Amino acid sequence: MLVDTYGRVATDLRVSLTDRCNLRCTYCMPEEGLQWLAKPDLLSDDEIVRLVEIAVSRLGVTEVRFTGGEPLLRPGLTGIVERCAALAPAPRLSLTTNGIGLKRTAAALRAAGLHRVNVSLDTLRPDVFKTLTRRDRHRDVLAGLEAASEAGLTPVKINTVLMPGLNDDEAPQMLAWAIDHAYELRFIEQMPLDAQHGWTRDGMITAGDILTSLRTRFTLTPEGDDRRGSAPAERWIVDGGPHRVGVIASVTRPFCRACDRTRLTADGQVRNCLFAREETDLRAALRSDAPDEEIAALWRQAMWGKKAGSGLDDPEFLQPDRPMSAIGG
Ligand code: SAM
Ligand code: SF4
């Protein structure tokens, strides 16, 4: 198992399939994009499947989420999903995506064995979407969401980041809309993981702000910690139920004590935390023909060194060298 010195066990693997993206969300990337990883540096489809197999068969991983960058840009995605779904024991498979292209791919991904999707959508207003993501693709995301529901990639969850002066007035409308469409909405606090290092604590919308805004229209009752488990979202029952809304307060109410994540970057580096500054190179081991058990041992060692928390509250906090899009969100 992937255990750390604080007794946490990582069972939830995030696999980044690419660092590239077709959007340029302001809280994530600069307008001009980033220096993308070179193709030979990316793990191949075979290498990804081998690492996922090691994780599920030797290390106790039960959940695998594909992310990026934008994972739908990875040409071999459906094949990777299909091969991971056939592993024993079979992991739960999900995908975090901006939704562009999901209209075309949702049914095939479901057929390949994907269970669920999280789609990122920050606004219901096309003009605000264009400002926030620097691309005019709002309609494509809405179409992707619909296709995901129709394909049975449910519950479809929506990730929303609120940015001051742009979409921070939209929380209640977004919740009403999500309930109407049977999407499960979760707000995520903006984190210092943007490539431009533009995040400031004073300039972010906090979980407290989000809840205050939602309460102008809804009655929210805490679902309670016993239902939360290791899930990062604190959930509230909306207007007495059955609908829920989640808030992922990574900055103001971190959930590090219950963290069960392990992360693999698109170039084969294990990270034990989003905010870690160290990585462990599994790609080098893979490419030097290391046996599975040796790779598993490296992975265990990487997780053993996981810190107690993200360090966000430390005045000495240093943002990781890689931005969120290159780590895998
Ligand atoms: N491109 C896909 C997407 O947008 O869903 C997957 C990768 S993206 C890095 C994963 C999630 O991270 C998205 O929900 C996005 O909104 C979120 N994200 C990106 N940068 C963030 C930041 N600085 N703070 C909080 N969330 C962020
Ligand atoms: Fe792309 Fe996702 Fe980053 Fe937006 S948040 S720029 S969609 S990787």
Side-chain angles (χ1 to χ4, degrees), residues 13-17 48-49 52 64-72 77 80-85 91-97 109 114 116 118 328-329:
L13 168 62
R14 309 275 144 143
V15 182
S16 174
L17 296 179
I48 288 170
V49 175
V52 173
V64 178
R65 169 173 299 274
F66 300 107
T67 180
E70 177 43 50
L72 291 179
L77 173 63
I80 293 172
V81 168
E82 194 165 20
R83 290 169 67 190
C84 289
R92 294 278 307 166
L93 296 176
S94 56
L95 178 77
T96 298
T97 168
L109 287 169
L114 189 74
R116 283 202 321 94
N118 283 21

Side-chain angles (χ1 to χ4, degrees), residues 20-25 27-29 68-70 98 120 325:
R20 290 170 192 254
C21 192
N22 41 11
L23 296 183
R24 296 285 183 273
C25 304
Y27 49 75
C28 185
M29 276 192 205
E70 177 43 50
N98 63 28
S120 303
S325 58

Side-chain angles (χ1 to χ4, degrees), residues 304-318:
W304 183 251
K306 181 168 169 135
K307 295 203 169 117
S310 62
L312 275 172
D313 280 332
D314 186 336
E316 309 282 298
F317 172 77
L318 274 180

Side-chain angles (χ1 to χ4, degrees), residues 207 211 222-223 225 228 231-236 245-249 253:
L211 292 169
E223 191 176 54
D225 266 352
R228 187 177 178 190
E234 282 181 79
R235 299 212 310 170
W236 276 264
V245 64
V247 180
I248 302 182
R253 307 216 280 247

Side-chain angles (χ1 to χ4, degrees), residues 145-163:
L145 274 164
E146 255 176 57
S149 287
E150 275 166 24
L153 292 167
T154 50
V156 173
K157 296 190 184 177
I158 296 191
N159 291 351
T160 300
V161 177
L162 294 180
M163 296 295 285

